[in-house]
Amino acid sequence: MSRFLSISILLLFVLHVSSESAGEEEFTEELLFRPLPDRKVLSHFHFESRAPPTNSYGHHHRLFPKAIYQLVHKYRIKQMELSFTQGRWNYDSWGGFDPIASSNAKPPGVELWAVFGVPPDQVDASWKNLTHTLSGLFCASINFLESSTAYSAPDWSFRSLSGNLRYGSLPREAVCTENLTPWLKLLPCRDKSGLSSLMNRPSIYSGFYHSQRLHLTSDEFDPVALHGIMLEQTLTIVLQPDSLETHPSFSGSRKLQPSWSMSSLFGKTVDGKCALAKSSNVYVQLEGSLVYNMKNTWNSIDSYEGDSNFGFTVSPDRMMKEINSIDKEGYSILYGFSINNDHSSKPFDLGFWWKLPVTWSCVKAPLRVSRFLMGSGNEKGAIALSLQSTEWSQSLLKADNNGEKCNLRVDVFQLVPWYIKVYYHTTKIYVDGASQSLGDIIEKMSVSPSEDKVSPGVMEMILRLPCDMKSASLTLEFDKGFLHIDEYPPDANQGFDIPSAIISYPDFQTRLQYKLDTTSIKSPMVSKMQERRTILSYTEVLLVPLTTPDFSMPYNVITITCTVFALYFGSLLNALRRRVGEEERLRKSKDKSTGKLRLLLSKLSAKLRGKPWEPPSSTPPSSSSKFISTKVVIKIILIAAIAFGWQYYDG
Amino acid sequence: MLVQCTMDLLFYYRSLGLSLMIENFPAGDIAALVYLWNPLTIITCLGYSTSPIENLMIVLSLYGACRRLVRLAAFGWVMASHLSLYPVILIIPLVLLIGSGLDTPPRKLFLQPKHSDGYKKTSFSWRRVVLFFLWASAWALYVLLLCGISLKEYSGLGEMFKRTYGFILSVEDLSPNIGVLWYFFAEVFDFFRDFFLIVFHINILFMVLPLAIRLHHRPCFLAFVYIAISSILKSYPSVGDSALYLGLLGLFVNALADMQFSFFLFSGYLGTLLLSPVMNNLWIWRGTGNANFYFATAMAYACFQIILVVESVSSMLNHDRALKKGATTVAKKVQ
């Protein structure tokens, strides 16, 4: 009996171990709230789904969406990111340095990039098919990225990926609930339970910024497949909570920040976690600068309660402090709340309320970038990229390099459509208003000039700017092209978009490391924040008006031009055709007015003019005229007979 | 700018050699002066265009043919065709000039049998023509060899033909110019695009044969008419091309003295050339006008050019007719 028991225990153990080594599908859902300095609240949903490698786990999945699995296998995708964004990320007020801003501040419209594991000559075909598939999957017009005029292959300036990378962006794509619903369908619980049930459409789309992103990483096609496919879906929303209660006003001009709760932001509460999720957590992150400004009135930092500055309606389960903070002012704090299985009696409604007014500023990116157009008229213009130093970057840089000449490395990647014909030789750089020679500032530049109707213009540049500069600007001149009427969008007079340029700072890498307690649960979002990533900023989308032809006139133009050609053809042939004797014959035949009517008319005209009337000179060939007339009559009869016969036999 | 001025001076020198000495002034002087002082030429030079170089090559070929310098004529013709495709049609007047010489009288004038006052029927020297073709092919091979060597890293001659002649023939770029094709191909439906391309280019080619038949006794004038037609109907015309044929028009002033509508044409040219930049500015720079304004001036310009060509052809034919009538009466008197 005991032997049997020990054998069964051993067997169970072996089975357990083997099942663990085969891997399991995992799904976790997380939500992060962060109060922003300008009285808004950032909400960041993070859903992560993992599928083990196919060769050990097989083709059938429980949690992982089949559409994505088939996508990865059909197009042999190694990495892919697709984002739908509406609104502009405010780098000044919402931050540009932390991991969430770097990975979730996206350009407006659709952005898609993908790395394929196919031979280089098949990458374009895979890209085309991928755009069509994604277009159908997400009900968006991503298929416009299929033509070679819309995408490019950046070499080295985009996220340090190389090889079979393709990048494309559609700035004018509008994002609506039609795109959100298929995105939510990829989640195991859809939007029925768990954190995704908070996604109330009117609340999301009334925000200042919302961006839904899908990031896919797979090593299925590597020689040794370890991790399988990892699908990360994030939704980042910036909302402004209504200030619900009136608070006593405080001294000076300081106003209390608005208090918010899940029900006030989204209008819904969480009834329970998604049953298929491994873990479901909510976090509230207070930035370093905020913690620093609150420190004076904070009684005990190590306790779970915020004390006299703010309060939660639900007490947090754990509190994590940031270690190795780059920010001089202080470390950020992360409060974690776990969501259990059943909240049907008391729904989980996290609320945050302020007790004392406090102001803080977020950590900005090293430079403030903006892009604008110069020039007037519809023939030429110039693109200008302006980089201004932020006070935060000044202090950071001075601390780093004291000895040798300090340089800030800035990578620029810009994609310009073919009808904006940029002249790259007219690049000018100004630092603090003074013109610089290009060799001083540009370390490396790679340009792929545009080709009419074939490919866009791609510019990748590494700039080395002095650390102590106040502002720098880069200008490029361009000519505007002229398009066929079919190539204009329906609202042609609005103009055409130049997609955002991507500015990255490879010198800096941002990460947020949190000291995890012993009771901490493994959180994918937090561990993702701990990875080093480069800082990215996106510039504005530029709107360029182009001259339009008159769209109402295709027929008129064609007929008028063909009339001119016919005029040329006919009159020149006529001039060439005239023979010597013909003019005399023509003149003679005019004098021959033998008809009675003509005689009468000439008599009348002579009487009116008061001249004596002369009878016209009679010239012989009346017989010839009669001959001609009989010939004509015979011809007419013949044609009529043919026509009659045709009608009779055919009709 | 200096290059353009030297090109113009070379044209002047060459056209002096082309003087058809008739009555009062050498027509070559008039032609040269018309070309040099033409505001269109001055504008072309100011705009740093390469049209004066093409014009120089065309005039070189005509000069060489008139002076029976076969090598020079072949060089000019090959270079002019290489630079812009349309001077290929000048092969016919060049062959006629080289074969028969400059002063080919109309054959029909002297078809009277019995007068033999020293007028012998000029013979057509085939030897010179064959020599011309040999030199032309030699120059062409040389030019293609040089192009092939310099384009070896850039995927070779086929790419060059596609990008230069293919571009001219397929009208890919739709930027506004003083011709009529840009707006047409911006608005034409894609289904008919190839059809209309063929029609417009055949319009030039079709006129080659009838004109050659009718004006084969006046090869210089034939060359002028070919140049005029190609500068009206080519895919990317410019005022530099118009400057060339207006200069060459000066060679024939004495024959074309009775041209109808000459004042109308002069004021028409002046009007459209003054209005055209204004309409361009209104449409593109101020945005208060429409593409139709600019296109209307381009069409009016094309119409005036067409009227000029047709009227010059008919007045030249009338002049010939008058000459023939005068000659026959003289011959009759002599008899």
Side-chain angles (χ1 to χ4, degrees):
Chain A
M1 181 63 187
S2 64
R3 204 186 290 165
F4 176 67
L5 205 64
S6 58
I7 287 173
S8 58
I9 288 170
L10 200 65
L11 213 62
L12 274 170
F13 181 67
V14 165
L15 274 173
H16 178 69
V17 165
S18 63
S19 73
E20 269 198 6
S21 67
E24 256 185 26
E25 297 179 57
E26 279 177 16
F27 171 70
T28 52
E29 52 177 20
E30 272 142 339
L31 172 58
L32 176 92
F33 286 108
R34 184 203 293 174
L36 295 172
D38 56 352
R39 307 172 65 78
K40 299 186 176 67
V41 175
L42 171 79
S43 324
H44 176 77
F45 291 84
H46 183 107
F47 302 99
E48 196 165 303
S49 190
R50 279 182 193 272
T54 314
N55 42 16
S56 60
Y57 189 79
H59 295 277
H60 300 286
H61 301 272
R62 231 173 19 101
L63 301 175
F64 197 81
K66 189 170 178 179
I68 301 294
Y69 179 79
Q70 285 178 337
L71 199 76
V72 170
H73 273 265
K74 192 164 172 198
Y75 302 120
R76 299 177 74 88
I77 296 175
K78 281 178 150 165
Q79 250 199 80
M80 185 189 93
E81 184 171 300
L82 172 65
S83 70
F84 295 82
T85 312
Q86 189 95 356
R88 263 190 54 211
W89 183 267
N90 190 343
Y91 285 96
D92 281 339
S93 313
W94 304 341
F97 199 84
D98 58 293
I100 292 194
S102 279
S103 50
N104 291 295
K106 289 281 163 195
V110 166
E111 191 202 44
L112 173 67
W113 59 266
V115 180
F116 297 92
V118 292
D121 50 347
Q122 290 174 18
V123 175
D124 284 329
S126 303
W127 169 268
K128 285 185 169 45
N129 291 330
L130 176 69
T131 53
H132 279 277
T133 311
L134 287 173
S135 175
L137 193 59
F138 289 101
C139 301
S141 356
I142 303 176
N143 56 329
F144 287 145
L145 288 176
E146 139 195 73
S147 74
S148 58
T149 56
Y151 67 88
S152 68
D155 261 335
W156 37 265
S157 65
F158 184 65
R159 288 176 183 255
S160 329
L161 294 164
S162 58
N164 306 325
L165 168 70
R166 294 288 183 270
Y167 173 90
S169 158
L170 288 173
R172 214 181 256 209
E173 184 72 18
V175 180
C176 58
T177 182
E178 294 267 305
N179 309 119
L180 184 62
T181 310
W183 186 87
L184 284 172
K185 280 208 185 128
L186 299 174
L187 301 171
C189 287
R190 311 267 195 276
D191 55 348
K192 299 286 184 289
S193 70
L195 290 172
S196 43
S197 63
L198 281 177
M199 291 189 195
N200 183 28
R201 308 293 196 266
S203 333
I204 296 177
Y205 292 106
S206 63
F208 284 83
Y209 173 88
H210 71 266
S211 162
Q212 69 194 61
R213 185 172 71 97
L214 184 127
H215 188 99
L216 197 60
T217 319
S218 94
D219 59 352
E220 289 268 322
F221 304 102
D222 287 354
V224 178
L226 285 176
H227 304 291
I229 310 178
M230 200 267 294
L231 172 68
E232 176 191 323
Q233 289 175 258
T234 64
L235 178 68
T236 312
I237 314 168
V238 173
L239 296 163
Q240 173 129 51
D242 310 318
S243 27
L244 297 167
E245 309 115 35
T246 53
H247 291 274
S249 60
F250 289 86
S251 62
S253 58
R254 294 171 64 180
K255 234 175 107 181
L256 200 63
Q257 296 263 340
S259 309
W260 49 268
S261 69
M262 276 182 179
S263 49
S264 75
L265 287 176
F266 296 110
K268 288 186 179 177
T269 54
V270 178
D271 282 335
K273 80 169 194 176
C274 174
L276 301 166
K278 187 169 161 199
S279 68
S280 178
N281 295 311
V282 177
Y283 296 96
V284 175
Q285 183 190 35
L286 301 176
E287 287 180 288
S289 170
L290 172 61
V291 172
Y292 181 77
N293 284 342
M294 285 195 298
K295 228 182 237 184
N296 308 328
T297 50
W298 210 331
N299 285 344
S300 53
I301 295 179
D302 288 326
S303 77
Y304 280 174
E305 297 295 333
D307 227 281
S308 55
N309 280 299
F310 60 91
F312 293 107
T313 52
V314 178
S315 68
D317 294 325
R318 55 194 170 280
M319 173 176 141
M320 294 178 262
K321 273 191 267 194
E322 188 190 349
I323 50 179
N324 298 336
S325 161
I326 304 175
D327 191 2
K328 291 290 175 298
E329 294 195 326
Y331 49 86
S332 62
I333 297 181
L334 199 65
Y335 290 97
F337 305 78
S338 299
I339 301 193
N340 305 320
N341 263 330
D342 185 21
H343 279 276
S344 48
S345 52
K346 184 173 174 298
F348 182 82
D349 185 9
L350 172 67
F352 184 92
W353 46 284
W354 296 91
K355 293 181 194 163
L356 287 176
V358 63
T359 52
W360 74 102
S361 63
C362 55
V363 181
K364 300 195 184 60
L367 294 174
R368 187 181 299 130
V369 288
S370 77
R371 198 173 62 155
F372 50 91
L373 286 172
M374 303 196 301
S376 71
N378 276 336
E379 197 178 317
K380 28 180 118 144
I383 301 178
L385 184 71
S386 126
L387 306 151
Q388 285 165 341
S389 64
T390 54
E391 50 302 307
W392 180 87
S393 61
Q394 300 271 4
S395 56
L396 183 78
L397 293 160
K398 281 205 183 85
D400 275 341
N401 289 354
N402 285 324
E404 73 270 359
K405 206 157 177 304
C406 163
N407 276 333
L408 174 61
R409 178 180 153 176
V410 178
D411 281 6
V412 177
F413 168 65
Q414 184 167 254
L415 182 73
V416 171
W418 68 265
Y419 37 83
I420 310 291
K421 304 175 192 185
V422 179
Y423 294 112
Y424 293 101
H425 72 279
T426 56
T427 312
K428 290 194 188 64
I429 297 190
Y430 300 89
V431 174
D432 289 332
S435 166
Q436 308 283 324
S437 86
L438 297 183
D440 291 341
I441 305 287
I442 300 184
E443 181 183 302
K444 186 171 166 186
M445 182 163 167
S446 155
V447 158
S448 164
S450 62
E451 205 183 305
D452 274 11
K453 296 184 192 157
V454 172
S455 64
V458 178
M459 181 181 85
E460 304 174 71
M461 216 188 249
I462 296 184
L463 299 169
R464 289 257 175 214
L465 298 168
C467 294
D468 50 355
M469 67 153 196
K470 290 279 178 306
S471 69
S473 54
L474 179 80
T475 55
L476 289 165
E477 290 176 30
F478 63 85
D479 270 354
K480 298 187 193 180
F482 293 86
L483 305 174
H484 188 256
I485 53 172
D486 287 344
E487 292 165 3
Y488 284 90
D491 52 347
N493 289 306
Q494 183 187 6
F496 288 78
D497 301 294
I498 302 182
S500 303
I502 305 177
I503 316 287
S504 57
Y505 310 94
D507 286 343
F508 302 94
Q509 287 190 325
T510 174
R511 66 196 302 209
L512 279 177
Q513 275 178 299
Y514 286 99
K515 188 169 79 174
L516 303 171
D517 313 14
T518 48
T519 60
S520 66
I521 313 166
K522 190 162 167 291
S523 157
M525 183 171 75
V526 175
S527 45
K528 223 179 176 66
M529 287 202 281
Q530 290 183 329
E531 291 171 7
R532 287 181 178 277
R533 61 182 79 228
T534 43
I535 304 171
L536 281 182
S537 297
Y538 286 91
T539 62
E540 297 92 337
V541 169
L542 294 176
L543 192 64
V544 179
L546 288 182
T547 42
T548 56
D550 193 347
F551 295 107
S552 59
M553 296 245 308
Y555 288 108
N556 302 1
V557 167
I558 294 174
T559 46
I560 292 176
T561 314
C562 291
T563 307
V564 168
F565 274 82
L567 192 83
Y568 145 80
F569 190 82
S571 46
L572 193 58
L573 272 185
N574 194 25
L576 289 176
R577 184 195 52 87
R578 289 204 207 112
R579 290 272 145 210
V580 177
E582 189 171 306
E583 284 193 357
E584 280 108 28
R585 254 183 276 139
L586 212 65
R587 220 172 294 135
K588 279 185 202 164
S589 68
K590 272 200 192 134
D591 293 339
K592 251 197 276 185
S593 34
T594 42
K596 264 199 186 153
L597 191 65
R598 283 222 188 105
L599 278 173
L600 212 62
L601 277 174
S602 56
K603 251 196 211 170
L604 209 64
S605 63
K607 232 185 205 159
L608 284 172
R609 265 188 248 151
K611 282 189 197 161
W613 177 66
E614 300 139 10
S617 54
S618 61
T619 38
S622 53
S623 61
S624 63
S625 65
K626 214 174 179 183
F627 179 65
I628 287 170
S629 68
T630 49
K631 233 173 143 180
V632 166
V633 165
I634 290 171
K635 273 188 196 163
I636 290 171
I637 293 172
L638 193 65
I639 291 173
I642 291 172
F644 178 72
W646 187 296
Q647 191 75 8
Y648 184 69
Y649 285 113
D650 241 7
Chain B
M1 177 97 173
L2 199 62
V3 175
Q4 325 293 359
C5 295
T6 47
M7 296 301 171
D8 293 334
L9 284 172
L10 279 170
F11 181 101
Y12 174 75
Y13 170 66
R14 293 294 181 214
S15 62
L16 280 185
L18 285 173
S19 54
L20 304 163
M21 293 285 307
I22 315 186
E23 332 275 15
N24 308 319
F25 296 109
D29 274 355
I30 298 177
L33 283 173
V34 166
Y35 185 78
L36 277 180
W37 287 102
N38 198 349
L40 297 180
T41 323
I42 298 173
I43 288 172
T44 319
C45 289
L46 283 176
Y48 297 109
S49 165
T50 52
S51 306
I53 303 180
E54 295 167 18
N55 297 350
L56 172 70
M57 292 303 162
I58 294 176
V59 172
L60 266 183
S61 64
L62 286 178
Y63 174 73
C66 290
R67 282 289 176 105
R68 301 283 189 84
L69 298 171
V70 169
R71 270 168 282 188
L72 189 63
F75 173 71
W77 181 68
V78 164
M79 288 307 292
S81 320
H82 175 70
L83 288 175
S84 73
L85 186 61
Y86 294 92
V88 174
I89 55 176
L90 289 178
I91 182 76
I92 293 179
L94 286 180
V95 159
L96 288 172
L97 273 174
I98 289 178
S100 321
L102 191 57
D103 299 305
T104 45
R107 237 180 261 165
K108 288 185 189 161
L109 279 183
F110 302 101
L111 269 180
Q112 288 84 353
K114 263 167 248 164
H115 65 86
S116 53
D117 5 351
Y119 280 123
K120 51 179 170 63
K121 252 180 102 165
T122 52
S123 58
F124 193 83
S125 87
W126 284 104
R127 189 186 70 87
R128 286 229 170 99
V129 172
V130 168
L131 207 61
F132 170 78
F133 277 115
L134 281 175
W135 270 108
S137 41
W139 283 118
L141 278 172
Y142 185 55
V143 164
L144 286 176
L145 184 73
L146 288 179
C147 287
I149 292 174
S150 58
L151 289 175
K152 215 191 299 194
E153 307 99 60
Y154 304 113
S155 72
L157 275 181
E159 185 77 13
M160 181 188 96
F161 287 138
K162 191 174 86 122
R163 301 265 183 208
T164 53
Y165 304 141
F167 179 82
I168 292 175
L169 290 176
S170 66
V171 190
E172 284 168 13
D173 183 41
L174 299 169
S175 306
N177 49 52
I178 203 150
V180 293
L181 257 68
W182 58 277
Y183 203 40
F184 185 87
F185 284 107
E187 301 252 356
V188 77
F189 307 110
D190 268 332
F191 185 74
F192 295 109
R193 192 191 154 87
D194 291 333
F195 167 70
F196 278 112
L197 269 176
I198 295 175
V199 164
F200 288 163
H201 284 113
I202 280 185
N203 258 327
I204 303 179
L205 287 178
F206 182 79
M207 278 303 166
V208 164
L209 202 57
L211 282 169
I213 291 173
R214 200 75 168 94
L215 292 169
H216 65 88
H217 54 278
R218 287 193 177 272
C220 255
F221 185 72
L222 186 66
F224 159 75
V225 178
Y226 281 172
I227 292 169
I229 288 175
S230 69
S231 79
I232 302 168
L233 301 176
K234 71 197 296 195
S235 41
Y236 292 101
S238 70
V239 290
D241 309 319
S242 310
L244 176 65
Y245 76 76
L246 286 175
L248 285 177
L249 186 65
L251 281 177
F252 310 106
V253 270
N254 297 310
L256 298 178
D258 302 324
M259 197 164 84
Q260 282 182 308
F261 309 131
S262 54
F263 180 68
F264 171 67
L265 281 174
F266 173 72
S267 31
Y269 263 79
L270 196 63
T272 48
L273 286 172
L274 286 176
L275 273 181
S276 188
V278 172
M279 297 305 170
N280 189 31
N281 189 318
L282 275 185
W283 174 38
I284 294 183
W285 287 93
R286 290 172 195 269
T288 51
N290 209 344
N292 301 329
F293 292 70
Y294 185 66
F295 185 62
T297 58
M299 265 205 311
Y301 187 62
C303 285
F304 284 120
Q305 287 179 311
I306 290 171
I307 295 175
L308 174 73
V309 165
V310 171
E311 284 310 312
S312 61
V313 165
S314 43
S315 69
M316 183 58 90
L317 290 175
N318 283 338
H319 178 79
D320 280 345
R321 216 169 288 142
L323 266 184
K324 182 175 166 193
K325 207 189 273 189
T328 47
T329 47
V330 163
K332 279 189 185 142
K333 275 192 193 151
V334 162
Q335 280 180 343

